[in-house]
Structures are given as C-alpha cells and as structure tokens.
Amino acid sequence: MCGIVGYIGSKDIKKILLEGLKELEYRGYDSAGIAILQNNELKIYKAVGKLENLINKTKDLKTEGFGIGIGHTRWATHGKPTELNAHPHMGEYSYVVHNGIIENFKEIKKELNDVRFISQTDTEVIVHLFEKYLQDLNDPLKAFKATIDRLQGAYAILLITKADPSKIFFAKKGSPLIVGRDGEEIYFASSDAPLIGHAKEVHYLDDGEWGYAQLGEVVVYHGDRAIDLDFKPLTLNKELAQKGGYRFFMEKEIYEQSDVITETMMGRIKDEEIEFEELDQEFLHGIHSIKICACGTSYHAGLSGSYLIEKLARIPVMCEIASEFRYKEPILQKETLFVVISQSGETADTLEALKMAKDAGLKTLAICNVDNSSIVRLADRTILTRAGIEKGVASTKAFTTQLMVLWMLALYLAQQKGIDPKKISRELEAMRKTPQALKVDPDLHERIRRLSKRYLHGHGFFFIGRDIFYPLALEGALKLKEISYLHAEGYPAGEMKHGPIALADPELFTIALMPKNLLYEKTKSNVEELSARDSTICAISPVAFELADDFIKVQNADHYMLEYYEMAVALQILAMEIAIRLGNDVDMPRNLAKSVTVE
Ligand code: M6R
C-alpha cells in the first residue's frame, strides 16, 4: 500500500504535494518523492525514510506559479526502500507514481530489452512502456492507453511527461484514486484527507477508469468511451476522511481485508500453482521440519498455519510463543526451517528468537508486514504480507494476510513434495474466493451489533473451536480482551470437559465456532455439553444450531478456510461492537502499544 497525490494549478505545488503526502503517510513511509513540471523544466526529489527527510531535502525549492506535480509515499513491495526504488520513476522525459502491483512487470521488462532499468520495482516498466508507445504512436493519450492496456494487476497511476507538459494522465484499477477540483485547479489523491481544504468537490474513480486532466478540465474514459463525471461535495472533517468514514481505524481495517488479501495473493497464485519469488528449491533443500515462532495475534496465525502445513504438505510443524521459546533452551536442528511471523517486524521477543535460530545456523524465513524492519533485515528470506499500515492496536488485517501467506506457503511446500495436484487445485479454487469471504456483509454487521448488547456483562467468555478453529478461537478471545477488557479465553472445544466446563452457567458465554466442513459433529457434541449445563451459547456456523441462544450465520461454506475467514471477520466485529457499547477507545485500548519492543 502506498499513497499518491497530484496537482495542476498556480498555488505553491511543492507545499500542496508535501502536505498531501503528510496526510497519506499512514499508507507507507519507507521513502517518498515528488516530481514537478514547471516552465517546461522537470524537477525530481526523493528521500528514504519518513516524509520529514523529503521535506528537509526540498526546503530551498521554490515552486510558485503555474505547474503540475505528482508525489508518492512508499510501502515497499518490490525492492528495498532505497532512493532508486522510491517513486516517481523516470524515463527520459516522463515520470510516474503508482500504488498497487504490476503482476506482469517481469514479462514487460524482458520485452523492453534495450532499456536500462535502474530500480528493482514493478513500477518502472510503466514509464518506459509509455515512452516506447509514444515513440510508435506519437500521441501521449494513445500511448498512455496502450500502456495501461498492457498492465496486469492493481494500480492507481499518475503520469506526467514533457511531451504534453500541461496534463496529468491517470488510471485506476484495484487501488484507490480520487480526482478533486476547485474552479480550474485539479487535485489527485489516494484518499480524501489530502484534498480537504483544497478541492471543493471530488469524483471517486472506478476500476477501469482512466484519462487526463489539465487546468479546468478532467476527461475520464472507461475503455474507449468517455464517461460523465460524478463530482460530489467533499467532507470537511479531516480525521473522518483518514478513517474513510468509519468510526475507528480498526473498523476501517476490518472492512479493508477483502481488498488487501488480494494484494497478498497478487502475483503469487499462478494458474494452477503457487509461486513465491522469495523462495526457491535451493533454500528449502534439506528441510524436514518447520518451527514457527511469534507473539499475540501473529502467534495465532502461526498456530493456524501449523495445522495447514501439516494437513496439506505433510511436514511436521511446531508453533511456539516467542517469549517462551527464548528461555526454554530449545533444541534447534539444521534441517528445521525457522519461521517468524510479525506484523511490525520489531517485536523484541520474536526478534530475539530469530537471532537464536540464526546463531544456531538454521535457515530463517520472516512473514512480515513492514519491509526493512529489524526482523526483515535479519531473516534470510522474507515474504511480505502487503497489508499496508495497520493503525488499530488490535490486529485485524495483519492476521488475515499472515494466514493467507501461510496457506500459500503450505500449498507451495505441498507442490514441492509432489502432492496430488487435484488436492492443490481444490485449495486454489477456495483461495481465490477468500476476498468474497472477507467482505463485510452490512446485514451481518448490523446483526452482530444488535446481539452484542447481550454480552456486556457476565463472568467470562469461552471461545471454542477444534482443529484450525482452535487458534481462531484464541484470536477471537484475544480481540475481545484487548478492546473490551472483558475476561475471555480461547479453548479447544474437546478440552472443555476436562475442567473448564465446571464454570458453565448462564453467565458464562460460549462463542462456538462450528464450521460445516471440519469436525462439525464433534464440535456440536462439545457445544451440547455446555448448553446442557446452561452456558449461554452464541454459535457461529453455516448450519443452524437449535440449542444456540444467538446464531451468526456464515454464508461462505464451500471450504473450511472460507468459513474460517468469514468467522474471523465476525469475531473482529463482535469484539469491536462490544467495546463500543462499553465506551472504550477501540483504536488505542488501555495498557497496550501497537509494537512491543521490550521483553
Ligand atoms: O508486530 P507483531 O505481529 O510481532 O506483534 C505481536 C503482538 O504484539 C500483537 O499481535 C498483539 O498481540 C496485537 N495487539 C494483537 O491484536
């Protein structure tokens, strides 16, 4: 996830671009850059790290008078955060900023064999492709259209060129892009926030829309057809705009999951197999087992992943809590692949566990959301989850994207072991439906909001599930604890009868995860045992359960992983709605920090 901005007009361009990027810094801050075209002169500035570095670098730049400009704040997906990899990317006389992932960039790069690429990014192909088409077609608009027609994947693009110095060319597919105007002046941004105070009205571009803008004019096409623009007045509240209209960042992040999971999968699911450019046979050679180490939510994703890898790839996996692992004098064997999972990449316990594994000579792999973080820098290999910045302290999209990487990893390892392609094919079919399973159904949200009022008191919650739904139960309980401050435990459903069932009474709330496709009857018996002892039951399942006091119906029931993902969303919403009713600060719960860099 990155942020992009653009401007056409006579105000101070540098100021508008940098202020706009400041509003988008939450979308990525490992590097930033701006390109300005004024008096037929192109100026470009880039800096690694926080936007502050770019602001310092441009402090003597004067940009009064008419001009056009584009800017970008980066969240690295291809290539390290360096100045060369920072946007805007340049051709001979054109500059581009891009948010998204160009899946076929390698193929395009091969075709452009006479071009010297200077970055490791997928984006750089766009500007070179554009200049090649411009040479052939001698028309910037046609060249831009020919360029975007070649791109596969997701993108929001702004391009400027000396060949047509009064225009910004733009295109959107899969990544957000908004065009705003105030009289003659034109603005672009990835979200509303940079536009507030500048643009009076905005048009939210739809997927497939592209076109150009110049002073006083915006022309948008869908395919070859020019479309009528639907400009609407812009909200004046900045904070609301940053939250995209949601009440909390956590809520926004819950709703984002359906889109970001597509970014996690992008370029990694190819026809009938999984490809990871981050892995190869040599790296995995000699590996007979896997150890996963993580904390909190990342541990829950890891534990879920351990079930998946054992099920699908038949490789033994142990998942451990990093803070425990460090002091237990673990036995580390060279044929074990050591996998750490971390949203932030800075969690001290996980980092220390990784150091121990490295010191013992193990091969290490990080599954992480933050490129260039301490964990990423230390691990031998990294698979980025591409969830974008997560602001809510309670992890949501970090969890579902981590799990997607682990599911893909399980299949990748299964492929390497030559496991039945039909089995892999069935998994891939389900995987492709994940964005749908993660899409929040407003009716379901409303139903959970209403039933949440019954769960504000009582003496505790048990979240129960079996198999991979046990780690999901742990995660559901953690979400509730973190933001509602109510006592909740995750438990394997079959283990309740070995002690915890003694707590059962109407004031003990059982949140039962009852997937249709995995051990339904077994879980049902365990829930019946609790119901017989008068526990209040909230069942989450595709199958109606007559003993449930409350029932949350799951719609995606073709595969247990689709049930898993839909249930994950339901649990996140349940925790959030209970916390809201209790009047808690959902995004910044008491006693917690987003990144735990102490032991
Ligand atoms: O950044 P990490 O994934 O390494 O963080 C690990 C935990 O601190 C984190 O998951 C924590 O449990 C979250 N607040 C959960 O919502």
Side-chain angles (χ1 to χ4, degrees):
M1 191 153 89
C2 307
I4 64 180
V5 291
Y7 174 65
I8 303 173
S10 299
K11 287 193 186 141
D12 186 346
I13 307 182
K14 177 187 85 173
K15 192 164 172 277
I16 287 180
L17 295 180
L18 292 179
E19 282 177 4
L21 290 180
K22 190 81 208 147
E23 297 294 339
L24 296 179
E25 225 186 347
Y26 73 94
R27 298 177 64 89
Y29 46 70
D30 57 41
S31 53
I34 53 173
I36 292 168
L37 183 46
Q38 223 170 9
N39 306 321
N40 214 24
E41 196 192 335
L42 259 169
K43 292 181 192 135
I44 181 154
Y45 295 84
K46 300 182 186 192
V48 173
K50 293 250 168 96
L51 189 65
E52 220 38 54
N53 300 342
L54 182 67
I55 295 174
N56 284 335
K57 213 167 175 177
T58 52
K59 67 176 183 305
D60 297 327
L61 173 69
K62 300 270 174 283
T63 56
E64 283 95 23
F66 174 79
I68 67 176
I70 54 178
H72 187 272
T73 176
R74 181 167 185 250
W75 182 262
T77 56
H78 292 72
K80 297 259 169 257
T82 60
E83 259 186 43
L84 283 182
N85 287 334
H87 301 215
H89 286 285
M90 42 196 162
E92 274 181 53
Y93 46 85
S94 316
Y95 289 72
V96 73
V97 291
H98 161 228
N99 170 32
I101 293 172
I102 304 302
E103 284 185 42
N104 57 337
F105 80 102
K106 283 193 185 147
E107 188 186 312
I108 298 176
K109 233 174 173 173
K110 264 195 212 140
E111 269 172 45
L112 298 170
N113 49 15
D114 52 343
V115 171
R116 199 174 74 82
F117 284 87
I118 58 168
S119 79
Q120 299 156 308
T121 65
D122 52 333
T123 300
E124 198 186 345
V125 296
I126 302 173
V127 70
H128 295 300
L129 200 58
F130 170 77
E131 291 190 349
K132 173 186 162 311
Y133 284 129
L134 189 54
Q135 248 177 19
D136 299 347
L137 301 166
N138 203 22
D139 177 329
L141 189 65
K142 284 188 183 149
F144 186 68
K145 169 76 167 49
T147 304
I148 55 171
D149 281 349
R150 284 297 317 281
L151 305 178
Q152 287 167 16
Y155 50 78
I157 295 169
L158 299 179
L159 181 142
I160 57 176
T161 176
K162 278 177 112 175
D164 201 345
S166 60
K167 292 191 179 115
I168 293 183
F169 296 91
F170 58 86
K172 176 202 173 339
K173 187 182 149 207
S175 304
L177 188 59
I178 306 167
V179 55
R181 67 183 177 195
D182 175 19
E184 301 267 273
E185 282 173 288
I186 310 290
Y187 299 83
F188 289 94
S190 303
S191 77
D192 282 347
L195 304 175
I196 294 173
H198 295 295
K200 292 264 179 330
E201 43 182 16
V202 289
H203 169 79
Y204 295 88
L205 289 157
D206 271 336
D207 281 348
E209 291 186 356
W210 68 282
Y212 69 88
Q214 59 187 347
L215 201 63
E217 186 186 29
V218 181
V219 178
V220 181
Y221 300 91
H222 198 293
D224 292 326
R225 182 176 52 87
I227 62 155
D228 293 334
L229 294 176
D230 178 23
F231 275 98
K232 295 194 170 78
L234 181 63
T235 165
L236 295 174
N237 183 326
K238 248 185 193 172
E239 201 189 295
L240 212 68
Q242 261 207 353
K243 290 183 186 152
Y246 294 100
R247 295 166 291 174
F248 298 96
F249 280 108
M250 181 186 180
E251 187 175 35
K252 176 168 177 270
E253 285 155 8
I254 292 172
Y255 274 75
E256 257 170 25
Q257 292 177 108
S258 168
D259 288 336
V260 290
I261 209 83
T262 308
E263 298 219 13
T264 311
M265 295 190 285
M266 206 170 283
R268 292 169 173 162
I269 306 184
K270 295 269 169 67
D271 302 325
E272 282 311 289
E273 59 174 26
I274 298 291
E275 263 182 42
F276 276 117
E277 62 181 23
E278 300 86 344
L279 300 177
D280 51 57
Q281 286 200 346
E282 195 196 322
F283 179 66
L284 294 171
H285 181 75
I287 295 297
H288 297 310
S289 66
I290 296 176
K291 195 176 277 293
I292 301 177
C293 222
C295 300
T297 287
S298 299
Y299 167 73
H300 300 151
L303 195 57
S304 307
S306 71
Y307 281 83
L308 286 173
I309 297 171
E310 291 205 340
K311 251 187 229 307
L312 298 170
R314 309 303 296 154
I315 297 174
V317 191
M318 278 273 294
C319 183
E320 304 209 33
I321 293 174
S323 55
E324 280 299 304
F325 172 82
R326 291 175 61 183
Y327 298 106
K328 66 183 271 217
E329 297 180 31
I331 299 169
L332 292 170
Q333 290 168 326
K334 294 237 163 64
E335 61 279 6
T336 300
L337 174 66
F338 196 82
V339 180
V340 286
I341 307 175
S342 174
Q343 187 285 129
S344 60
E346 302 296 345
T347 301
D349 288 315
T350 312
L351 184 60
E352 286 307 315
L354 175 61
K355 281 183 192 157
M356 283 169 67
K358 292 246 352 169
D359 289 346
L362 270 66
K363 289 183 181 167
T364 58
L365 169 68
I367 296 175
C368 191
N369 193 29
V370 183
D371 200 4
N372 212 31
S373 56
S374 305
I375 285 178
V376 168
R377 289 200 305 271
L378 189 64
D380 297 325
R381 303 284 173 100
T382 296
I383 302 178
L384 291 175
T385 50
R386 304 174 182 161
I389 290 182
E390 193 180 59
K391 280 201 155 184
V393 164
S395 232
T396 51
K397 60 179 182 167
F399 174 69
T400 43
T401 53
Q402 285 166 346
L403 187 67
M404 177 51 79
V405 168
L406 287 156
W407 189 10
M408 290 191 291
L409 181 64
L411 284 185
Y412 180 84
L413 295 169
Q415 277 163 211
Q416 308 289 317
K417 285 190 72 179
I419 286 179
D420 183 5
K422 278 204 205 104
K423 191 170 173 185
I424 294 182
S425 191
R426 275 198 301 276
E427 295 295 310
L428 287 174
E429 196 187 323
M431 204 173 258
R432 289 191 171 98
K433 292 183 185 159
T434 310
Q436 178 54 40
L438 282 172
K439 208 166 214 102
V440 181
D441 170 3
D443 292 342
L444 180 84
H445 190 154
E446 177 55 16
R447 172 156 176 67
I448 297 176
R449 192 190 68 76
R450 290 167 62 115
L451 67 81
S452 66
K453 64 177 173 290
R454 286 208 276 275
Y455 295 92
L456 307 180
H457 307 290
H459 58 69
F461 286 75
F462 270 94
F463 286 69
I464 59 168
R466 297 186 80 126
D467 197 282
I468 190 172
F469 290 84
Y470 159 53
L472 181 58
L474 290 174
E475 175 59 10
L478 178 65
K479 283 292 83 83
L480 187 68
K481 271 188 277 228
E482 283 186 292
I483 57 176
S484 74
Y485 320 142
L486 295 173
H487 179 74
E489 271 190 73
Y491 234 79
E495 188 66 11
M496 292 298 286
K497 58 186 174 294
H498 296 290
I501 203 165
L503 294 169
D505 70 18
E507 296 297 295
L508 177 88
F509 302 138
T510 300
I511 311 294
L513 308 182
M514 303 172 71
K516 184 177 115 193
N517 293 290
L518 205 61
L519 301 172
Y520 179 77
E521 290 302 329
K522 302 274 172 213
T523 313
K524 189 173 164 214
S525 307
N526 302 139
V527 183
E528 280 165 357
E529 287 153 16
L530 277 151
S531 168
R533 282 149 188 94
D534 261 356
S535 172
T536 299
I537 310 286
C538 174
I540 310 185
S541 177
V543 185
F545 177 54
E546 63 280 8
L547 298 177
D549 299 280
D550 276 311
F551 178 58
I552 298 175
K553 187 165 169 54
V554 168
Q555 306 292 342
N556 293 273
D558 289 358
H559 187 281
Y560 65 90
M561 284 304 289
L562 298 176
E563 295 180 86
Y564 183 107
Y565 272 117
E566 194 177 327
M567 285 185 197
V569 173
L571 293 174
Q572 294 164 351
I573 293 176
L574 180 66
M576 184 182 73
E577 290 300 341
I578 291 176
I580 293 173
R581 282 186 189 275
L582 292 171
N584 299 344
D585 184 338
V586 168
D587 285 332
M588 281 184 274
R590 70 182 186 202
N591 305 342
L592 299 179
K594 183 68 188 157
S595 178
V596 187
T597 52
V598 291
E599 245 199 88

